[in-house]
Each structure stands twice: as C-alpha cells, then as structure tokens.
Amino acid sequence: MTSKITSQPSCVDPFEAGMINLSEALARIEARVRPVHACERLPIRDCLNRVNNEAVKAPHNVPPRPNSAMDGYAIAIDSLIEGEIAELEEIGSAYAGKPFAGPCGPGQCVRIMTGALIPDGADTVIMQEQAEVAANGRIRIDSDHRAGENIRQAGEDVKQGEIVIEAGVRLSPADLGVLASLGLSQLQVKRKPVVAFFSTGDELSAVGTPLQPGMIYDSNRYSLYGMLARLPVDIVDLGVVRDNPEAMRAALADAAARADLIISTGGVSVGEADYIKPALADLGSTEFWKIAIKPGRPLTFGEIGSSIFMGLPGNPVAVMVTFRQFVVPAIDVLCGASMRPALLVPARSLDRLRKKPGRTEFQRGIATLDANNRWQVGKTGKQGSGILTSMSRANCFIVLPDDNDGVEPGDEVSIQFFDWAI
Ligand code: AMP
Ligand code: MG
C-alpha cells in the first residue's frame, strides 16, 4: 500500500479534461440566449442604454437649411475682386433664429452670426477676424477666400431618408441628441429584461443582524446588485436560499415565473453542486461547465421554460469575475444587442505575477499612467478568490491568457478596465 493519496481533479489544477475556454463559453452563451421579444415606445430620454428595435430613418435633413459656422459676413463670392480688396456695403444682420429677410446682392454683405440662415444670394461667410470695417462703414475683404467657406450645408450632418440608428443599437447619449436633432420625441425600444438573483448557503447571514459562530455575511447579493444596477435591466432580489433541494426548487420556480435571467451564487463546487443540479433537472435543463479561467472555473448554465439560468461560484471575487465575463455578455444578447467584446488595453506590469499555463487568469490590478502617459499596472496584493477587497481596491483586471506562464516586472500585459458593469 502506498502512503500517498492520488488526488482527484480539482480547481488547483492548471487544466483538466472537459474544460472549455473563455471564448467557447461565450459562443455557447451567444447561441443559447434569445433576445427579449416585446417592445415599448418611450420618450427618448428613457431610451438611454436601451436597445433600438427598428432602424431610424431621418425624416428631414440636419441642418435643415444652410447656415453660418462662424460670426462674420455673408457674401456672394463673385463680389470679391482678384488680387484686390473689395469694399462691400453692409445691408443688415442675420442671427440664429432671426434670418435676414431680403436678398444679398453683388457688392453687398450681411453681418451674420453662427447658426443664422445664409441669406438668398450669398454663398460664402467671411470670418469677422478676416474683414475690416472702413471709416466709411464699408466692409473690406481681400480675395483670399473660396466659395462656400464657413457654411454648414443642408444635410451635412444627416441626409433625409438616411438610416441614422440601426436596429439592435444600444442607445448612447449622442444617439439621444441625434434623435432630438431630427425632432423625434419617442422611440420603440426592446423591453428591459428582468433579472432575478439569489445567494445560496446555510452559512449566510443578513447584514444588520449579529453574526453567529460559523456564519458570514452575504456579500454576493450586494456586489451583484451593484453590477446589475448599472445595466439596463429590472432587478428582482430573491434573498438567500438555504442549502436544501426543496428550497432551491421553490426559489428557481419562483424566479423562472418572473425573470428572463436567473442568477445564483454558491452551491456549484464539487459536493455542493447537487443542490442546484437536481432542482434544475426537475424544472428545466442544465449543463455544468468547467471553464478554463481563474477565478471562477465552475459555471452552471441552464434553461427553465423561457428563462436562462446562470449559477455562479460562491467565492466573492469569482462572482464578480464570472459576472463580468459571462453574465454581462448574456445580458447584452438578452437586451437584443450584440455581445460587446472585452476592451483590452496594453500596460507595463510593475510586479512579478505568478501564473501557470492552462487557464486565463483575471488578476486584480491598479492601472496608472507613467511619466510618458503610458499605462502601467500593479497588482492589488493577495489574489485569492475570497479576497473581495482586491476588487474594491482595483480599477482593472490584469488578463493573463491561457498560455501565459508568469510575468516579470516590465513585461507587457493586457488590462481590462472596470467599466459600465463594475
Ligand atoms: P460554495 O460555492 O457555496 O461552496 O461557496 C464557496 C465559498 O464562497 C464559501 O467559502 C462560501 O462561504 C462563500 N460564499 C458563498 N456564498 C457567499 C455569499 N453570498 N457571500 C459571501 N461569501 C459567500
Ligand atoms: Mg455554499
């Protein structure tokens, strides 16, 4: 008999059979999640961050008519004399919203302000800094100008009939402005998906109550709330579910009746997985994915009726990592938009980072600008998946790809800034 225990595959192994990588997990999510179907018509302010349902066609040109880009003088370019200084008669003024009524003929000019309509007969605006007022009140302008200068042409921003915002676009502040520039007060957007979430664990206590021996406070529901609150979804907090099959089944059935996406934390590590798995098997279907990332390797993915279920790990850092890497893309698809790829930025590592090849690691970093305005990044200290302060001190993930085998100070790494979701 040997005196050594042959260990089973576990989360400390760099790689194990049946693992899928990050991009494969994202591809599976993209293939499974169906966008919400229903739409609603809302005032455009309420459409911020929502997903546009139908392409928006411009009902008219923006700007509607030619106007001045500068304060100066509107003239017909033919009034200028090659190689000489023309002296033009000022016949009136044009202001934004108060056009000049008459035409501007040869030898004449109209004092014009930014945004004012170009008078009939004029085709050019001379900046006031490039004109002189003569003692007799005439306006002196040299010939060093070209036709059309300082004029914003009709339709130069948007042409009538053009598609300004495609369907499936998440509406940005600029999009709201563009809609308003077209005079549109309402837009049809996809309804907000409903996301229900709960924590699992017999050890969890509610904040604001005394802590009994062996218990810990439930932090996951707070970090999850914070991340969800930044996304265009309606949130249902289902509290803590205790580690038993009946409670789990009841929580899942309740969540499935109300939500498009159900998120749980905990109860998916080996030995505990059985709390969620049989409940899901009863009510819907489930897959248990081992993803080659650290932290956050196990993820349960399932469907209950028309709801998607994502069972995140219990460790607080793993919750935030898997939420950012998998739940945010799932919500993108659910909202009717496409998945936003992670925005990775190169940075110089200030620290030595330990890493074995096999999995993609999300270490927590603090990115700052160096003296040359380039990004540099240091780690936040202890990197265990229970060290939640490593997340609150960080401003980015240091993303170390599968094949990386460690980083020396000065090496280039990729960072992913905490963004709209974190
Ligand atoms: P589990 O996957 O349920 O075994 O949880 C893994 C670790 O995360 C355990 O140490 C749990 O106590 C901890 N954990 C699970 N859920 C929470 C939670 N909601 N808040 C804080 N820690 C948790
Ligand atoms: Mg647990």
Side-chain angles (χ1 to χ4, degrees):
M1 209 158 92
T2 103
S3 57
K4 192 161 166 35
I5 292 172
T6 314
S7 62
Q8 302 293 309
S10 80
C11 64
V12 297
D13 298 338
F15 197 84
E16 71 180 82
M19 273 206 185
I20 58 173
N21 65 21
L22 186 69
S23 49
E24 157 110 47
L26 287 172
R28 288 190 188 187
I29 290 169
E30 195 163 34
R32 300 291 185 75
V33 178
R34 298 270 157 268
V36 293
H37 197 67
C39 297
E40 51 191 336
R41 233 186 144 67
L42 296 176
I44 55 174
R45 283 187 184 180
D46 298 331
C47 296
L48 184 62
N49 297 329
R50 300 287 287 272
V51 174
N52 183 30
N53 190 51
E54 285 172 353
V56 179
K57 260 196 189 162
H60 57 72
N61 282 333
V62 180
R65 296 190 47 197
N67 67 80
S68 180
M70 294 283 175
D71 291 347
Y73 298 90
I75 63 161
I77 193 79
D78 292 344
S79 300
L80 300 183
I81 308 157
E82 187 55 39
E84 290 181 31
I85 292 180
E87 293 204 343
L88 306 182
E89 178 196 2
E90 185 181 323
I91 57 168
S93 302
Y95 297 89
K98 279 189 223 126
F100 175 72
C104 175
Q108 297 180 323
C109 69
V110 171
R111 176 88 177 106
I112 194 164
M113 306 302 157
T114 305
L117 288 189
I118 305 301
D120 290 343
D123 56 16
T124 303
V125 170
I126 309 300
M127 277 171 71
Q128 64 188 21
E129 292 82 353
Q130 294 171 356
E132 260 172 34
V133 183
N136 62 5
R138 289 196 155 242
I139 308 302
R140 290 164 49 83
I141 302 171
D142 65 25
S143 64
D144 201 9
H145 297 282
R146 56 175 181 81
E149 74 184 29
N150 301 319
I151 291 186
R152 300 170 179 153
Q153 298 300 341
E156 122 180 341
D157 188 359
V158 177
K159 292 216 172 15
Q160 181 175 8
E162 173 187 342
I163 290 179
V164 278
I165 305 175
E166 298 283 354
V169 164
R170 193 187 329 270
L171 294 150
S172 69
D175 293 328
L176 301 195
V178 167
L179 291 167
S181 76
L182 290 164
L184 301 173
S185 61
Q186 296 188 330
L187 190 69
Q188 196 183 70
V189 290
K190 296 267 190 208
R191 78 165 166 83
K192 274 189 191 178
V194 179
V195 180
F197 63 105
F198 58 86
S199 297
T200 69
D202 284 341
E203 76 281 32
L204 301 179
S205 287
V207 297
T209 62
L211 202 59
Q212 305 301 324
M215 305 290 275
I216 57 168
Y217 288 118
D218 173 11
S219 61
N220 286 345
R221 262 187 321 124
Y222 292 84
S223 49
L224 270 183
Y225 164 82
M227 294 186 288
L228 285 166
R230 291 188 163 180
L231 297 172
V233 295
D234 284 328
I235 306 172
V236 181
D237 181 347
L238 296 175
V240 174
V241 178
R242 295 302 170 195
D243 286 327
N244 74 67
E246 295 76 46
M248 205 70 80
R249 209 167 13 240
L252 285 174
D254 178 28
R258 307 204 235 167
D260 301 293
L261 172 64
I262 306 161
I263 302 169
S264 69
T265 66
V268 288
S269 43
V270 187
E272 272 193 307
D274 287 346
Y275 293 118
I276 281 183
K277 262 199 194 160
L280 262 172
D282 277 2
L283 300 167
S285 64
T286 176
E287 286 181 31
F288 188 67
W289 298 347
K290 285 177 282 183
I291 305 174
I293 63 166
K294 185 180 173 187
R297 187 181 62 128
L299 186 85
T300 306
F301 185 91
E303 286 163 47
I304 307 175
S306 58
S307 310
I308 292 289
F309 171 80
M310 295 178 89
L312 310 186
N315 277 309
V317 178
V319 167
M320 298 195 75
V321 169
T322 50
F323 184 95
R324 180 63 192 88
Q325 305 307 323
F326 305 115
V327 180
V328 170
I331 289 177
D332 281 347
V333 177
L334 205 53
C335 288
S338 46
M339 282 185 175
R340 288 170 282 197
L343 258 182
L344 298 178
V345 175
R348 193 167 41 82
S349 181
L350 295 171
D351 293 319
R352 177 152 202 232
L353 307 174
R354 285 164 47 93
K355 154 101 170 55
K356 288 187 215 151
R359 297 196 253 165
T360 297
E361 279 194 31
F362 295 89
Q363 302 203 3
R364 275 71 67 204
I366 300 172
T368 50
L369 285 170
D370 68 13
N372 299 314
N373 267 333
R374 298 212 179 90
W375 289 110
Q376 57 185 12
V377 67
K379 61 178 182 180
T380 51
K382 280 196 230 112
Q383 294 290 312
S385 67
I387 312 288
L388 190 51
T389 49
S390 73
M391 281 297 299
S392 70
R393 294 199 179 108
N395 62 2
C396 64
F397 290 122
I398 307 171
V399 185
L400 303 175
D402 298 2
D403 56 357
N404 179 285
D405 61 354
V407 170
E408 293 300 323
D411 284 358
E412 187 178 291
V413 291
S414 291
I415 58 176
Q416 179 184 16
F417 280 102
F418 293 169
D419 48 20
W420 54 85
I422 299 183

